[in-house]
Amino acid sequence: MNIAVIGAGYVGTTTGVAFANYGHKVFVIEQDQEKLKKLRKSILPFYEEGMEELLKKLIANGNLLFSHHLEEIIDQCEILFITVGTPSLPNGEADLSYVEEAARQIGRWMNEYKGIVIKSTVPIGTGEKINKIIKAELKKRNEEISFDLISNPEFLREGKALQDALYPERIVIGCETEKAQKVMKELYKEFNSPIVFTTIKDAEMIKYASNAFLATKISFINELARLCDKIGVNVIQVAKGMGLDSRIGPQFLQAGIGYGGSCFPKDIKALLALATAEKTPLQILQAVSDVNQTQTQWFMEKVKKALGTLTDKRIAVLGLTFKPQTDDIREASSLKIIHYLLQNNAYITAYDPQGTEHVKKIYPTISYAKTPLEALKEADAVLIVTEWKEIIEIDWQKAKNILSQPFVFDGRNCLNSSAMHKLGYHYEGVGIPSIDEST
Ligand code: UDX
């Protein structure tokens, strides 16, 4: 099939790559000429393992094409994906202006039946709104062309986007006609994944509810970790014991300094804003958001208490991205931590394998190291913010000789606490007894 994907961001590029990989001909439409030029040369505007190689292959075999103008290719495509951004507005609601503009363009240029698929994460009810916008554009042209509005949310994890796009655990499709169902079944024919057909609104809610539930698991364990910390209980063992119950499951129960990234914080804000607008408060979700807002602060107070003061202390901040295997620093805990340390007059040396350049733009005056060990030089304390492999694998025995004081605060519980204690470190994690009584 021939497909157009409007918006070459993270979701659009990955979606285009996945469909092209399964033999469809995909035209990715992007407004930004610079981005387009790079993509044509197989240069991604973000870091994602394995993606550039596949991009190169698909461009070479002619399945993946990039274009600046929807009007030039629209007649060749039966299915049009909208994958533009939906950033948060100051009141938490999702900004739909890019989605609306894409819809207007489609209405302006389409000449025959199209399946118009919204993949951008949009508030419940957006499908109906977009339907009206396209119809209004067609009316302006005195055209009565049929189309189906379809919702097909994405569940991509950064760092594993390719795997998630090529082998999704489920494909959710919200549509209202048999024709749309048929077209979408054909589109996903080569994917070996279960398809859930729902109404458009249900599909939109599935996306928000999934992210809200995952964030709930994280905030649940993070809040519990604060209590564990106080009463000498090891939250890692608690999560392990809980996770073996298949009704609970082990995933997303890793206590830490809070969730970040481009999805969870934004989507939770958007769902809360919708609930408020509908005068039906979501109390659990509000608490999830509140716990996440305060988790980094709670951790930093622990650090401050252990060190006595942060004034003039040299702190090594290891990890800047919101999670490993990405260069994304959106809503990353590292930003809150750097802010806190600067407010408390500490000196910072930061290290990250991928995110340094992005953070430099926000905090140009702090020091940045090229290797983890360089960051540790004469530091009074180490803060582990992101669990990158190269950070976990630091030779902590050797590191002790480089540090000024052997203090390690592990915001991701990624090191072995008893091993660190044996090496003579003052080691604190999130919800693990600082002197591990189990050893
Ligand atoms: C998430 C969803 O997983 C994905 O399905 C959706 O499409 C987009 O949002 P992503 O933001 O890439 O994906 O990252 P994810 O792996 O879900 O992690 C989100 C945040 O939660 C990270 O900051 C991570 O560090 C944190 N996290 C995750 C925890 O703190 N504890 C956990 O146990 C799991």
Side-chain angles (χ1 to χ4, degrees):
M1 292 171 107
N2 285 4
I3 308 161
V5 175
I6 306 168
Y10 200 84
V11 175
T13 310
T14 312
T15 303
V17 164
F19 285 128
N21 184 66
Y22 284 117
H24 297 299
K25 187 165 181 173
V26 183
F27 296 88
V28 179
I29 314 295
E30 174 57 49
Q31 306 255 307
D32 183 336
Q33 289 281 18
E34 275 307 301
K35 212 178 193 181
L36 209 60
K37 242 193 241 166
K38 284 191 176 159
L39 281 166
R40 283 192 177 120
K41 289 186 202 152
S42 310
I43 303 169
L44 283 176
F46 51 83
Y47 170 76
E48 189 67 44
E49 218 180 329
M51 187 97 81
E52 278 192 350
E53 289 82 349
L54 191 52
L55 191 70
K56 206 178 222 161
K57 194 179 121 190
L58 296 167
I59 293 173
N61 76 13
N63 276 2
L64 193 60
L65 296 111
F66 294 92
S67 175
H68 189 56
H69 302 288
L70 177 67
E71 65 270 33
E72 282 174 5
I73 54 94
I74 194 165
D75 288 345
Q76 296 178 55
C77 301
E78 190 179 1
I79 303 181
L80 312 171
F81 272 87
I82 301 178
T83 56
V84 293
T86 51
S88 292
L89 289 167
N91 66 355
E93 279 178 28
D95 177 357
L96 288 178
S97 52
Y98 302 110
V99 178
E100 289 167 2
E101 180 50 29
R104 274 192 289 273
Q105 285 192 21
I106 293 170
R108 210 170 296 150
W109 304 115
M110 64 189 266
N111 292 313
E112 59 197 341
Y113 171 86
K114 304 285 169 202
I116 301 164
V117 192
I118 304 182
K119 213 177 213 345
S120 305
T121 299
V122 291
I124 296 107
T126 303
E128 280 171 23
K129 224 180 183 176
I130 298 304
N131 209 358
K132 283 187 191 144
I133 290 176
I134 299 170
K135 279 191 177 147
E137 282 298 324
L138 289 172
K139 205 170 168 196
K140 274 191 211 164
R141 296 166 50 201
N142 285 324
E143 292 280 8
E144 266 189 41
I145 305 164
S146 77
F147 68 91
D148 276 307
L149 216 281
I150 300 159
S151 165
N152 176 211
E154 57 82 19
F155 301 101
L156 306 173
R157 287 165 298 175
E158 291 187 28
K160 292 199 173 107
L162 208 51
Q163 182 194 325
D164 288 348
L166 294 175
Y167 315 105
E169 283 189 358
R170 86 291 208 188
I171 295 162
V172 174
I173 296 172
C175 60
E176 319 280 342
T177 70
E178 268 180 32
K179 181 162 186 180
Q181 266 207 25
K182 206 171 141 232
V183 169
M184 293 306 278
K185 266 190 195 155
E186 177 66 22
L187 179 69
Y188 279 108
K189 200 169 67 184
E190 299 295 325
F191 288 66
N192 197 16
S193 311
I195 301 186
V196 182
F197 281 106
T198 67
T199 64
I200 294 173
K201 271 185 164 179
D202 291 352
E204 290 168 342
M205 183 54 109
I206 288 171
K207 166 69 191 189
Y208 278 108
S210 299
N211 276 356
F213 187 73
L214 291 171
T216 302
K217 282 186 93 174
I218 300 172
S219 276
F220 173 83
I221 205 73
N222 281 347
E223 193 177 43
L224 199 76
R226 298 188 200 179
L227 179 62
C228 289
D229 221 81
K230 203 148 207 179
I231 59 176
V233 171
N234 189 327
V235 80
I236 300 176
Q237 300 297 351
V238 175
K240 193 173 162 190
M242 287 168 67
L244 287 169
D245 182 331
S246 64
R247 293 169 303 174
I248 299 172
Q251 294 194 59
F252 282 71
L253 283 181
Q254 197 182 319
I257 41 181
Y259 57 77
S262 64
C263 289
F264 285 179
K266 173 173 81 79
D267 293 353
I268 282 145
K269 260 190 226 156
L271 191 51
L272 284 171
L274 171 72
T276 306
E278 293 298 326
K279 298 193 174 53
T280 310
L282 293 176
Q283 296 174 58
I284 293 174
L285 201 60
Q286 186 58 55
V288 167
S289 174
D290 294 346
V291 168
N292 201 58
Q293 287 289 334
T294 50
Q295 189 71 1
T296 315
Q297 173 89 13
W298 168 82
F299 182 71
M300 291 311 292
E301 275 160 18
K302 237 164 82 89
V303 174
K304 194 171 168 180
K305 195 170 163 211
L307 293 174
T309 175
L310 287 167
T311 302
D312 295 335
K313 298 281 183 201
R314 302 169 73 91
I315 310 291
V317 173
L318 300 186
L320 297 170
T321 53
F322 84 96
K323 69 172 192 180
Q325 303 308 117
T326 175
D327 65 343
D328 201 337
I329 59 154
R330 282 176 285 180
E331 303 276 344
S333 302
S334 65
L335 303 177
K336 288 188 206 161
I337 287 178
I338 294 172
H339 179 75
Y340 185 96
L341 288 170
L342 289 176
Q343 276 202 323
N344 280 272
N345 306 310
Y347 294 104
I348 303 166
T349 304
Y351 165 78
D352 190 278
Q354 291 292 340
T356 304
E357 291 312 312
H358 300 307
V359 177
K360 256 187 200 168
K361 286 181 196 142
I362 306 171
Y363 291 110
T365 56
I366 65 168
S367 302
Y368 293 91
K370 290 208 163 58
T371 64
L373 286 186
E374 190 190 321
L376 303 191
K377 230 184 206 169
E378 287 167 24
D380 294 306
V382 183
L383 262 59
I384 298 179
V385 179
T386 318
E387 65 278 33
W388 283 96
K389 193 166 172 275
E390 42 273 79
I391 292 170
I392 299 171
E393 288 175 353
I394 288 173
D395 180 342
W396 289 102
Q397 178 132 33
K398 196 167 151 195
K400 245 185 105 185
N401 305 324
I402 300 170
L403 290 165
S404 174
Q405 297 189 130
F407 278 78
V408 173
F409 300 94
D410 182 356
R412 296 293 171 188
N413 288 350
C414 60
L415 302 182
N416 182 311
S417 77
S418 40
M420 292 301 279
H421 289 135
K422 273 190 199 129
L423 285 174
Y425 277 96
H426 174 104
Y427 173 86
E428 291 190 38
V430 176
I432 34 181
S434 48
I435 304 296
D436 196 342
E437 276 118 2
S438 63
T439 58

